[in-house]
Amino acid sequence: MLARTLRPFTIYDLAISRTNLVRAMATVNGVSDALDPSNAARGILKLENTEKRDTLIAIEKKYQKRWQESGVFNASAPSTSEIPLGTVTSRELHKKHPKYFGTFAFPYMNGTLHAGHSFTASKTEYGAGFARLQGKRVLFPLGFHCTGMPIKACADKLTDNVRKFGQNFERYEDEQADGEEALPAPTQAETKEDITKFTSKKSKAAAKGVKLKYQFQIMLALGIPREEIHKFADAKYWLEYFPPLCKRDLNNFGARMDWRRSFVTTDANPYYDTFVRWQMHRLKELDKIQYGNRYTIYSPKDGQPCMDHDRTEGEGVAPQEYTALKLKVKEWSPGASKILHGKLPDSANVFFVPATLRPETMYGQTCCFVGPKINYGVFKVSDKEYYVITKRAAWNMAFQGIFFDNSQFPRDASELNPVAALTGASVVGTLVNAPLSVHKEGVRILPMDTVSPTKGTGVVTSVPSDSPDDFATVTDLAKKADYYGIKKDWAELEIVPIVETPSYGNLAAPFLVKKMKINSPKDTKQLAEAKDLAYKEGYYKGTMIIGDFKGEAVEVAKPKVKAQLIQSGDAFEYAEPNGHVVSRSADECVVAYLGQWFLNYGENDPGWRDQVLEYVKNDMETFSSETQNSLEKNLEWLNRWACARTYGLGSKLPWEPKFLVESLSDSTIYMSYYTVAHFLHSDNFGTQPGLFQIKPEQMIDEVWDYIFCRRDISEDLLKSSGISKADLEAMRREFEYWYPLDIRVSGKDLLPNHLTFFLYIHLALFPPEFWPRSIRANGHLMLNGEKMSKSTGNFLTLNDAVTKYGADATRIALADAGDGVEDANFEETVANQIILRMHTLKEWCEETIRDPSLRTSSSDNDKNLWDRLFENEMHTLVHAAYAQYEATDYKVALKSSLYDFTSTRDFYREALAAAAIPMHASLVRKYISLQALLISSIAPHWADYIWQEVLSQPATIQNARWPDVPTADASLTAAYTYIRTTTSAITSAEGAQVRKKSKGKTTTYDPEAPKRLTIYTANAFPAWQDRYIELVRSFHFKASLEDKALNAEVGRMGEGKKAMPFVQALKRRIQGGEAARDVFERKLAFGEEEVLGGMLRGLRRTVPRCKGVMVVEVLGVEGGEGRKGKVVRCEGEEGVVGKVGEERELAGMAEGAVPGVPTFHFENV
């Protein structure tokens, strides 16, 4: 499975088949080692020598203790004594005292955190670290989500286990499995049915392999001692057990959290309970919560709606609404007549009931399809009315007022039995009346092999004019009538035009089948594509050309035709899940039509929806187009959401306490509760007072209104609450300072529900200045390139990762795993390599800063070329990293802050070593300081150790500031690039010759013999380049170097092959910061001869058996062709290299040299 970023590793993640259970469990005392959490990561990557890791972990523990003891992460707003309330606006307060308030979705407390949690948390964590460096006050809190069904469902199962097997399950005896359990019925066909609805395709963590049979076995596999398990039969114990483990794991991770503001949800915390009750009261007053009948996913077993977080399978699945047509039987087929004889009253009206999404096309019905191998039932609706449908469809209808009253839903499918059973094959040939069809004499029931028993009613009405599937099937039936056992004319009723479309005419299905060369109903891929094309074209662009609504757009006519059919009694509304849904209680869910309290999201409150949509489009940062598009689509399709249930944990619905507020409805604005939680209580449950001595009963709705800037203070409020004015003002200040939320981080799987609800409720309850500023969604986390799976052993909990690799190595590997909404990959090899890298870097810093051989000087004038290049490149990377951290591009920021930064140090160190020059002491110290600061957001423990114990800084790096360095010098940047490019070209060419010789191939010189390297430079450019200089100059002064237009002009000039690279090089120089004037005048930003002179000694040492290096300037350039050369620099043995100023003959490649792009030549000496 893909690791879910916002749900802990839970009891539901442990799954093995019943046959595997026999192998995995010998006794209750011996759950398989493969399921033991201590072995969760075994077999993935084993660490042989842990000395370096242990050294780094010891440092981490030391600094974690310091941070916790000092309370460095406990943040507060400016007090009202510093800045009196009401004297400045919220915006002015933030300008004077910048702040960062970031959160990620609080984890559910039915298990410990896995690596996926740390991946999501890390995005907020890195941002918090960067914000501290920017000088902002930073708030990063975390609560513990306990609302909903999962904990209660598991506790109830344990209660049953204890009753059955004893407190410590001593009466349990291993049970042999009966064999593999039946697989669930296949899910819906892949073709999207209703193109007017948006659906989210997500990886669901519940795609588990297998199941342990009893709840206590799952708890054993989680590593919970057997004698402790019975305590979990009390749902409250889960709330006590898992939050401390969550806090432990995040502290060991080095999270910068203010734990003073933590809490558990549900009425277990009476303060949080008042907050939820206030929220629900105010939403109801605003008419955002309403009561009414609506379709909802429903668990018959639980007797209540089953929302997203109540499901083990089918998150994101919603009710799909159909029009159920009633096709009355006029004449039974012989087979059906025989089966039904004596089972139905003579006066009975029997209807085949197909479910359609396209009622506007019913004028074109020519037949009705059934699956010949599907089993159908004849279900009694009333004394005179019966429906022919599948048992699955009948079970859904049972919760929609068809077979049972809405007040008395069945609990078990055995309460719904057909009066007769039929196969699809037995009813083929039955004549039925098709409402609205032009074929008034009736249409026949015909066979269709692709009818799905798990979709709709198992009965499909056929409109071959507009459905490619139907047209392909009736064509095939007519061709092979004898084979199918039907009369040919049954499949050859006239196909009449229903809808006119601009692209496909008035018979869209025949047109597309012919155009796409679809030959039979078995061409499923092409038919799915054709179906999508026909549906979209017909719905969005089609016009009715038949019926009472002729001339109207299909989009307008569709609901009118549906209403007409229902009013005439020829149809009724029907709904079912648009995918397979299983509740936490292992119940397969249906769609019920029932009265319930719901949040009025979507089209029924268009003003609210449009307000949120406009805010997402115009004002909120989403960091990626994928997140932006997903939120916009969610807002366009999301509809009413049931906000109450009767089973589970939670806060009671204030005005109807038999209901509980459901888990996705009590967790929309809890971020605002973080701002004042520490004033109210000092423990998770609200049993210990906070900074103020306020009791839960004092937190009346009007107090919350005041805190959240919805009303002013008054004597009535002071009197009714009993809270002092000073305390109320302090709480309001805390809210108005920390709000709005600066960033909300979540896994992408919460975009369709939580994150969308989060926006809806914030905009409904808070003034605009407190609306969220940004949402950052991330992908799921894979492990070593594969889905995380407990059953395969490819799994890491957060505790496993930190124990195995240490906090900083884990954090760096998570940053390296990826950004954006694509699935990321945690590579254990990366984490392991990071241990060595960070330990080696630590030792280098410790040793080098004390190195007495380092150069010292009091003036910048004493710095050589390499010193200046190194310092300038550090400045370049500091500015690059700042921009990358600010954009939350942490993988790229890591590259600049660590990999590129150490690479630049290595370049400096190696260049000076080759030249036998010591490094500069001040630059070494500057490097170490900058390295610590740049990496501190990602690897804070290592950084703080270097900061305090190597650099001897007096205080923690957690309170340090981002380094203020000069803007990079473009000339030094260009020289640095020149050196690296030239050096790489020379060493690569030498390496190529070595490889050729090793393979026995002919080489231009013997790379293993003594040799001389000659580098050719030019002081003038070829004449042809002048034309392209002028071209780029003209585009630049138009303020446009846009690729498409510029490249087109280069192509038109006819020298694209050699001109295009030249033009692109000019663009890069300008965009890299060089002065345009210098570029167009073709002046290098650096002295090429000087730079090459500085490189000679290093090149001679780098190239094996190199006896000398010369720089030869190509002279007499005419039309770009060199004729002679002059030695301008040399380094080497006498007699091997020439003397400065002497002329030399040129090798052939010399003529290719241009300023800034030298050529070179090896020859044996």
Side-chain angles (χ1 to χ4, degrees):
M1 69 175 181
L2 286 177
R4 292 289 301 284
T5 55
L6 294 167
R7 189 175 60 77
F9 164 56
T10 73
I11 52 171
Y12 299 108
D13 295 320
L14 286 168
I16 56 173
S17 66
R18 292 184 66 192
T19 47
N20 287 340
L21 177 61
V22 176
R23 304 188 193 107
M25 296 186 63
T27 69
V28 73
N29 298 306
V31 177
S32 167
D33 284 345
L35 295 174
D36 187 333
S38 65
N39 301 330
R42 288 182 187 173
I44 303 175
L45 180 68
K46 294 184 178 180
L47 305 185
E48 301 297 335
N49 188 337
T50 64
E51 181 182 352
K52 293 179 174 61
R53 179 204 67 183
D54 295 343
T55 298
L56 294 176
I57 288 179
I59 290 171
E60 291 167 359
K61 295 302 179 188
K62 176 180 179 179
Y63 280 90
Q64 286 167 5
K65 184 179 179 182
R66 285 189 184 181
W67 298 337
Q68 294 303 318
E69 288 176 349
S70 67
V72 68
F73 303 135
N74 295 346
S76 297
S79 70
T80 53
S81 59
E82 294 176 70
I83 303 176
L85 196 69
T87 59
V88 295
T89 66
S90 176
R91 186 182 298 274
E92 291 168 339
L93 185 61
H94 295 151
K95 186 175 181 179
K96 188 172 184 179
H97 297 282
K99 60 89 182 180
Y100 171 93
F101 180 20
T103 65
F104 74 103
F106 51 18
Y108 197 77
M109 289 294 101
N110 62 345
T112 56
L113 305 185
H114 55 60
H117 281 96
S118 53
F119 180 61
T120 297
S122 71
K123 306 304 180 185
T124 316
E125 169 66 19
Y126 303 149
F130 179 61
R132 296 184 74 93
L133 288 169
Q134 291 176 298
K136 298 177 181 179
R137 301 191 191 198
V138 172
L139 177 58
F140 182 18
L142 187 69
F144 308 105
H145 199 198
C146 307
T147 308
M149 285 181 56
I151 290 174
K152 177 63 174 169
C154 294
D156 288 350
K157 290 177 184 177
L158 280 174
T159 299
D160 183 67
N161 290 174
V162 169
R163 186 183 303 112
K164 187 173 183 178
F165 301 122
Q167 178 170 300
N168 293 324
F169 315 102
E170 59 275 6
R171 294 195 300 272
Y172 173 78
E173 294 182 5
D174 188 31
E175 300 174 4
Q176 294 294 319
D178 298 325
E180 294 294 337
E181 296 180 356
L183 292 173
T187 57
Q188 287 291 92
E190 295 181 2
T191 305
K192 186 174 176 181
E193 281 296 319
D194 189 347
I195 49 86
T196 67
K197 303 291 184 182
F198 171 77
T199 56
S200 174
K201 295 182 179 179
K202 312 180 292 298
S203 296
K204 174 64 181 166
K208 317 297 187 283
V210 274
K211 298 177 182 176
L212 289 171
K213 185 172 181 180
Y214 294 108
Q215 184 65 45
F216 81 90
Q217 295 169 336
I218 296 172
M219 307 301 284
L220 282 170
L222 277 172
I224 297 171
R226 183 178 57 184
E227 60 274 12
E228 293 280 322
I229 292 175
H230 70 91
K231 297 178 182 178
F232 290 86
D234 179 358
K236 294 180 180 177
Y237 189 68
W238 296 69
L239 280 61
E240 298 169 1
Y241 186 85
F242 285 112
L245 297 182
C246 176
K247 180 177 179 180
R248 174 205 68 186
D249 292 348
L250 287 167
N251 278 339
N252 290 340
F253 184 63
R256 300 172 173 90
M257 285 185 166
D258 184 348
W259 291 112
R260 301 174 304 157
R261 302 170 187 260
S262 297
F263 57 89
V264 296
T265 65
T266 77
D267 53 9
N269 183 320
Y271 294 95
Y272 185 76
D273 188 55
T274 69
F275 166 74
V276 174
R277 291 166 64 86
W278 162 80
Q279 174 186 339
M280 303 310 284
H281 270 141
R282 295 300 179 250
L283 288 170
K284 186 171 183 288
E285 289 169 4
L286 291 168
D287 207 29
K288 305 303 182 186
I289 293 179
Q290 299 178 357
Y291 186 86
N293 290 324
R294 62 184 293 271
Y295 291 113
T296 190
I297 305 294
Y298 183 87
S299 167
K301 180 178 179 181
D302 300 330
Q304 67 176 8
C306 184
M307 309 312 289
D308 271 5
H309 281 190
D310 302 329
R311 305 172 188 175
T312 58
E313 187 175 344
E315 184 173 341
V317 172
Q320 175 64 69
E321 296 182 30
Y322 294 91
T323 302
L325 283 173
K326 296 166 65 174
L327 278 59
K328 184 178 179 180
V329 174
K330 299 179 71 173
E331 176 188 308
W332 285 107
S333 66
S337 181
K338 184 177 180 180
I339 294 170
L340 296 173
H341 181 70
K343 295 181 180 179
L344 300 173
D346 292 339
S347 60
N349 293 317
V350 183
F351 299 89
F352 282 78
V353 183
T356 181
L357 292 166
R358 304 198 64 186
E360 76 281 3
T361 66
M362 292 303 100
Y363 301 100
Q365 295 175 87
T366 63
C367 64
C368 181
F369 296 127
V370 293
K373 297 179 182 179
I374 294 176
N375 293 318
Y376 296 88
V378 181
F379 294 90
K380 181 179 179 180
V381 181
S382 66
D383 290 340
K384 293 188 176 182
E385 190 165 324
Y386 296 79
Y387 292 165
V388 180
I389 49 178
T390 60
K391 177 68 178 282
R392 174 187 169 279
W395 185 235
N396 266 278
M397 289 182 186
F399 298 88
Q400 297 169 31
I402 304 299
F403 304 114
F404 292 84
D405 186 86
N406 278 346
S407 62
Q408 294 181 333
F409 286 159
R411 284 297 183 99
D412 189 270
S414 63
E415 299 178 49
L416 177 67
N417 292 305
V419 297
L422 299 165
T423 63
S426 69
V427 300
V428 169
T430 297
L431 183 67
V432 295
N433 177 64
L436 294 186
S437 173
V438 297
H439 300 290
K440 301 302 182 184
E441 69 282 1
V443 301
R444 297 286 177 173
I445 302 294
L446 299 180
M448 186 183 199
D449 290 331
T450 57
V451 172
S452 171
T454 60
K455 182 177 183 180
T457 61
V459 181
V460 180
T461 191
S462 172
V463 183
S465 59
D466 291 84
S467 169
D469 289 287
D470 295 352
F471 180 76
T473 300
V474 295
T475 302
D476 189 59
L477 288 171
K479 286 180 181 178
K480 304 173 185 177
D482 291 341
Y483 172 79
Y484 288 110
I486 66 170
K487 293 181 180 180
K488 185 177 182 180
D489 61 318
W490 292 352
E492 290 187 327
L493 296 188
E494 180 186 1
I495 299 175
V496 297
I498 307 298
V499 175
E500 182 72 44
T501 66
S503 301
Y504 313 133
N506 59 22
L507 291 171
F511 177 90
L512 286 166
V513 167
K514 181 178 180 180
K515 179 182 179 181
M516 299 177 69
K517 298 180 181 179
I518 296 170
N519 298 314
S520 83
K522 295 180 181 180
D523 295 334
T524 53
K525 184 177 180 181
Q526 299 98 307
L527 280 169
E529 183 181 351
K531 179 178 182 178
D532 192 50
L533 291 172
Y535 197 170
K536 287 181 179 178
E537 178 81 5
Y539 183 78
Y540 291 113
K541 300 179 181 179
T543 303
M544 299 296 296
I545 57 175
I546 193 173
D548 293 346
F549 309 104
K550 179 179 179 180
E552 294 190 14
V554 168
E555 200 169 356
V556 174
K558 178 177 179 175
K560 295 181 180 180
V561 177
K562 177 179 178 179
Q564 186 181 66
L565 283 164
I566 292 173
Q567 188 174 5
S568 67
D570 291 318
F572 57 91
E573 291 183 327
Y574 165 68
E576 65 183 26
N578 63 7
H580 193 239
V581 181
V582 178
S583 73
R584 296 286 186 185
S585 59
D587 186 33
E588 184 170 351
C589 294
V590 298
V591 167
Y593 187 71
L594 72 167
Q596 58 187 272
W597 292 103
F598 57 83
L599 279 155
N600 198 30
Y601 301 135
E603 61 187 15
N604 294 292
D605 191 339
W608 191 17
R609 178 198 60 196
D610 293 346
Q611 181 187 41
V612 179
L613 191 57
E614 284 302 307
Y615 186 69
V616 170
K617 286 181 177 179
N618 300 319
D619 298 299
M620 194 181 71
E621 175 63 62
T622 58
F623 301 100
S624 75
S625 58
E626 294 91 343
T627 299
Q628 177 88 17
N629 294 336
S630 179
L631 285 170
E632 289 180 16
K633 289 179 180 178
N634 295 335
L635 288 164
E636 289 166 0
W637 73 264
L638 181 68
N639 213 322
R640 294 168 171 172
W641 185 269
C643 61
R645 63 157 60 82
T646 57
Y647 177 81
L649 304 180
S651 294
K652 293 179 174 63
L653 200 64
W655 55 88
E656 198 165 356
K658 70 177 182 180
F659 290 111
L660 299 170
V661 180
E662 69 95 24
S663 62
L664 281 169
S665 299
D666 83 334
S667 57
T668 54
I669 57 168
Y670 66 86
M671 313 87 203
S672 61
Y673 186 81
Y674 285 135
T675 65
V676 297
H678 61 306
F679 291 130
L680 304 177
H681 51 85
S682 58
D683 68 325
N684 290 335
F685 295 91
T687 60
Q688 301 297 321
L691 297 178
F692 299 158
Q693 299 296 314
I694 297 174
K695 297 178 180 179
E697 56 268 24
Q698 292 177 275
M699 296 303 294
I700 58 178
D701 288 351
E702 291 74 19
V703 167
W704 289 112
D705 285 335
Y706 175 74
I707 291 171
F708 296 143
C709 302
R710 292 167 51 88
R711 62 162 291 164
D712 294 327
I713 204 163
S714 67
E715 288 300 323
D716 287 343
L717 176 61
L718 295 172
K719 183 177 180 180
S720 59
S721 68
I723 302 174
S724 72
K725 181 178 180 181
D727 288 353
L728 285 171
E729 288 185 341
M731 289 192 287
R732 180 161 175 157
R733 162 55 54 80
E734 200 78 8
F735 169 76
E736 72 171 8
Y737 177 70
W738 291 117
Y739 251 58
L741 187 65
D742 292 286
I743 190 168
R744 177 66 169 170
V745 179
S746 171
K748 62 183 178 182
D749 51 312
L750 294 188
L751 282 167
N753 42 59
H754 164 70
L755 290 173
T756 305
F757 303 167
F758 157 81
L759 291 172
Y760 261 115
I761 305 304
H762 268 87
L763 268 65
L765 292 180
F766 296 122
E769 61 267 31
F770 301 122
W771 293 352
R773 287 180 176 168
S774 70
I775 284 176
R776 190 189 193 284
N778 56 259
H780 301 131
L781 186 68
M782 296 190 293
L783 179 61
N784 302 324
E786 298 179 0
K787 296 177 182 179
M788 274 212 253
S789 170
K790 182 73 175 179
S791 61
T792 65
N794 193 55
F795 192 87
L796 275 180
T797 65
L798 175 55
N799 185 56
D800 289 334
V802 171
T803 301
K804 190 173 184 179
Y805 300 110
D808 281 342
T810 298
R811 292 167 67 109
I812 292 172
L814 287 169
D816 189 72
D819 289 303
V821 297
E822 296 302 316
D823 291 340
N825 182 35
F826 182 94
E827 281 286 351
E828 289 198 282
T829 54
V830 170
N832 193 34
Q833 290 163 4
I834 288 297
I835 293 172
L836 177 61
R837 175 184 282 270
M838 301 310 289
H839 188 274
T840 302
L841 185 56
K842 176 186 81 74
E843 289 189 329
W844 183 89
C845 293
E846 292 167 337
E847 294 166 4
T848 307
I849 201 167
R850 297 191 298 267
D851 186 349
S853 69
L854 296 177
R855 281 183 297 127
T856 58
S857 64
S858 58
S859 171
D860 283 349
N861 294 330
D862 295 330
K863 292 178 180 175
N864 61 34
L865 174 65
W866 304 108
D867 296 336
R868 288 183 283 119
L869 289 173
F870 177 44
E871 187 170 36
N872 186 72
E873 189 61 17
M874 287 195 291
H875 296 166
T876 298
L877 291 171
V878 168
H879 289 294
Y882 187 95
Q884 291 150 2
Y885 276 118
E886 196 166 47
T888 73
D889 291 333
Y890 299 118
K891 183 179 177 73
V892 186
L894 173 66
K895 182 176 182 294
S896 296
S897 300
L898 180 62
Y899 300 130
D900 290 349
F901 215 71
T902 52
S903 176
T904 295
R905 178 213 60 178
D906 293 342
F907 171 79
Y908 174 63
R909 179 177 59 176
E910 291 161 10
L912 288 182
I917 302 172
M919 293 183 290
H920 199 292
S922 68
L923 289 181
V924 167
R925 184 174 183 85
K926 182 172 185 175
Y927 163 77
I928 295 172
S929 175
L930 292 177
Q931 179 64 92
L933 289 166
L934 263 62
I935 200 61
S936 65
S937 296
I938 295 175
H941 311 85
W942 185 93
D944 215 354
Y945 170 82
I946 296 296
W947 189 251
Q948 294 193 62
E949 300 189 37
V950 176
L951 295 172
S952 301
Q953 295 288 352
T956 175
I957 201 170
Q958 300 284 4
N959 292 329
R961 295 294 176 262
W962 186 265
D964 183 14
V965 299
T967 302
D969 184 324
S971 64
L972 289 172
T973 300
Y976 181 82
T977 302
Y978 175 88
I979 291 170
R980 302 204 74 158
T981 302
T982 304
T983 303
S984 176
I986 290 170
T987 55
S988 296
E990 167 74 2
Q993 294 298 312
V994 171
R995 288 191 296 273
K996 285 179 71 175
K997 183 175 181 180
S998 69
K999 295 177 181 179
K1001 296 181 179 179
T1002 303
T1003 58
T1004 56
Y1005 66 96
D1006 184 353
E1008 296 177 358
K1011 65 182 79 74
R1012 176 175 62 217
L1013 168 64
T1014 304
I1015 302 172
Y1016 298 102
T1017 66
N1019 58 10
F1021 292 89
W1024 66 265
Q1025 294 182 355
D1026 291 340
R1027 297 191 298 278
Y1028 295 95
I1029 288 283
E1030 291 307 313
L1031 175 66
V1032 176
R1033 189 200 304 268
S1034 67
F1035 271 81
H1036 174 69
F1037 288 127
K1038 293 175 185 175
S1040 172
L1041 283 175
E1042 193 267 323
D1043 271 337
K1044 189 174 180 180
L1046 181 59
N1047 292 350
E1049 189 62 22
V1050 172
R1052 189 189 64 77
M1053 293 170 69
E1055 296 172 299
K1057 187 172 182 179
K1058 63 180 180 180
M1060 194 67 74
F1062 174 68
V1063 168
Q1064 293 299 323
L1066 293 175
K1067 277 184 59 179
R1068 284 195 296 272
R1069 289 177 63 188
I1070 295 171
Q1071 293 169 344
E1074 288 190 51
R1077 181 177 177 180
D1078 290 343
V1079 174
F1080 294 139
E1081 291 181 4
R1082 297 208 272 186
K1083 291 181 179 178
L1084 292 181
F1086 58 94
E1088 185 173 14
E1089 182 185 325
E1090 178 192 359
V1091 170
L1092 283 171
M1095 294 171 62
L1096 295 188
R1097 185 179 294 183
L1099 283 171
R1100 184 183 171 193
R1101 294 192 177 201
T1102 301
V1103 177
R1105 299 184 65 79
C1106 184
K1107 299 300 182 180
V1109 185
M1110 292 190 302
V1111 178
V1112 175
E1113 181 181 343
V1114 179
L1115 303 175
V1117 173
E1118 185 131 348
E1121 297 183 357
R1123 298 303 177 202
K1124 54 185 177 178
K1126 179 179 69 174
V1127 177
V1128 293
R1129 300 272 179 160
C1130 58
E1131 166 79 24
E1133 298 177 5
E1134 187 175 352
V1136 174
V1137 296
K1139 295 181 179 179
V1140 173
E1142 74 176 21
E1143 292 189 356
R1144 308 282 294 191
E1145 291 186 8
L1146 301 177
M1149 72 284 301
E1151 297 178 0
V1154 295
V1157 185
T1159 58
F1160 53 89
H1161 172 61
F1162 285 106
E1163 57 187 326
N1164 292 118
V1165 294

